[in-house]
Amino acid sequence: MSDCSKRKNSKDEKLFHLNLKWIMLLSAAAVALILLILAIIFLPGVMYTRNPRLVFKNLEIDSTGYWQKQPKLLLERIGLEYGTNMFAINPADIREKLENEIPSIESAEVRFVLPDTLKIKINERIPRASLYSANSPLVVDRNGKVMKRAESSAIIQKLPVIKHFRSENQVQLQAALKLIMSALSNYPEIAIQEISLSVKNELRVSLYYRERKRCVVLLPSSTDEDYDFLLSKLQTVILTYGSNWQIFDLRFRGVVTGR
């Protein structure tokens, strides 16, 4: 064989081995890419969404009111079941349901602790009055938010009653609640029993003073009214004329009349 033929065969052989190496490298890269794609598709399921150890088993509720001891009912209200995969639970969605679908909950914080615990911190509204009657299923907080008595701390409270409330007299309702909060905060001697909204621009209040003197007080109904001032005037007049008067009228510029 000539030297020329030998050099050609050697060159072809080198080229063949070089191409074979590239083919092997490309094949290995293709296999690695396929394995990576499969890992991306299936590994999260194996590690997270279908992992039997990462399922909801424990609920911890942090609240000082009604919902502290109501885990079963709370889960029913938000549509969550034990055994749900933890990565299928969206804390933001649960918080939104708690705050928007349960009126007695003012605000909530939701987070989960792996592998199986959901923690919910709840700030509950405080009922301040019953609507319509003492045994009404509806109560309201200081801002006029209506809620179920059975799903609030009102089930163990005796509350003042706001009577004759209608949807169109929201201003009177807010004024009545402002009066209740003023008495609670600054006048412990005054125990409001009922507030009637039957007359426009007027609060007809039935109350006890120092648990002995029961009287009826007529007050203006306005959210701008200074009820601290009016209750101070009332207290002074009760101490002065309390044995003779049953009705105290403070509707006119702080001037007190009675009968």
Side-chain angles (χ1 to χ4, degrees), residues 161-163 176 179-180 192-197 203-205:
V161 179
I162 298 177
K163 305 175 71 175
L179 173 65
I180 289 171
I192 296 174
Q193 304 297 301
E194 293 182 357
I195 302 177
S196 172
L197 310 183
L203 302 180
R204 187 178 184 90
V205 185

Side-chain angles (χ1 to χ4, degrees), residues 123-142:
N123 180 28
E124 297 189 33
R125 299 181 189 276
I126 301 175
R128 294 302 186 184
S130 296
L131 279 183
Y132 309 117
S133 69
N135 298 319
S136 169
L138 300 177
V139 293
V140 292
D141 74 345
R142 65 183 299 164

